């Protein structure tokens, strides 16, 4: 039987992530510039789950489980005109709102006694993006 070293009096955390991407079109309503015109991006996304304990196999969350849930939610916005998507008919489909949408739709799927969704990173290019941490509890 395998024994694990415990870290008495210390809180341990593991940030487990997957990277993915999706393509879509959008325009930002009332934006004073080119982004008000319809255009597209190949957004890059990083989903991070924070685990405070490991399971009997030594994992915080199985990558297979994490990738499955992320794919389910990403598929709802992949290759869409985001302005026509129900979630963005009122909200501008900015990277910030896209990150919030992904977080809100993944939070329950990635909630367990050992782990929970920690952050969603959305990048329009390799050089610009943001990290969304969701509502503070």
């Amino acid at each position: 039987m395998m024994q694990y070293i415990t870290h008495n009096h210390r809180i341990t955390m593991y940030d487990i992530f997957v990277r993915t991407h999706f393509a879509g079109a959008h325009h930002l309503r009332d934006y004073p510039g080119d982004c008000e015109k319809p255009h597209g991006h190949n957004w890059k996304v990083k989903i991070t789950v924070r685990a405070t304990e490991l399971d009997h196999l030594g994992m915080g969350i199985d990558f297979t489980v994490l990738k499955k849930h992320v794919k389910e939610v990403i598929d709802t916005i992949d290759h869409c005109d985001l302005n026509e998507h129900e979630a963005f008919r009122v909200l501008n489909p900015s990277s910030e709102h896209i990150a919030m949408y992904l977080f809100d739709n993944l939070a329950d799927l990635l909630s367990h006694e050992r782990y929970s969704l920690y952050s969603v990173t959305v990048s329009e290019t390799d050089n610009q993006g943001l990290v969304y941490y969701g509502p503070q509890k």
Side-chain angles (χ1 to χ4, degrees), residues 2 8 12 32 36 45 52 69 73 100 103 112 119:
M2 204 181 243
N8 293 335
T12 58
E36 189 173 34
V45 176
T52 55
H69 290 309
V73 175
M100 184 175 67
F103 194 100
H112 188 275
S119 67

Side-chain angles (χ1 to χ4, degrees), residues 44-136:
K44 295 176 182 168
V45 176
K46 177 181 172 186
I47 306 297
T48 303
V49 169
R50 178 161 281 178
T52 55
E53 294 179 35
L54 303 180
D55 66 11
H56 68 285
L57 297 173
M59 294 188 282
I61 182 173
D62 188 330
F63 283 121
T64 303
V65 172
L66 180 53
K67 289 188 294 188
K68 173 185 174 276
H69 290 309
V70 169
K71 182 179 181 340
E72 289 170 1
V73 175
I74 288 290
D75 283 352
T76 66
I77 57 174
D78 190 27
H79 285 83
C80 288
D81 177 344
L82 295 174
N83 293 78
E84 297 298 318
H85 189 282
E86 183 64 35
F88 303 109
R89 291 215 173 123
V90 174
L91 287 178
N92 252 340
S94 64
S95 291
E96 290 84 350
H97 285 151
I98 292 167
M100 184 175 67
Y101 170 83
L102 294 172
F103 194 100
D104 290 349
N105 284 275
L106 284 166
D108 288 343
L109 298 171
L110 298 174
S111 180
H112 188 275
E113 61 189 25
R114 287 189 330 272
Y115 60 79
S116 62
L117 180 59
Y118 179 66
S119 67
V120 173
T121 303
V122 172
S123 302
E124 290 184 2
T125 71
D126 288 338
N127 299 317
Q128 59 194 36
L130 64 106
V131 181
Y132 179 71
Y133 295 95
Q136 299 300 304

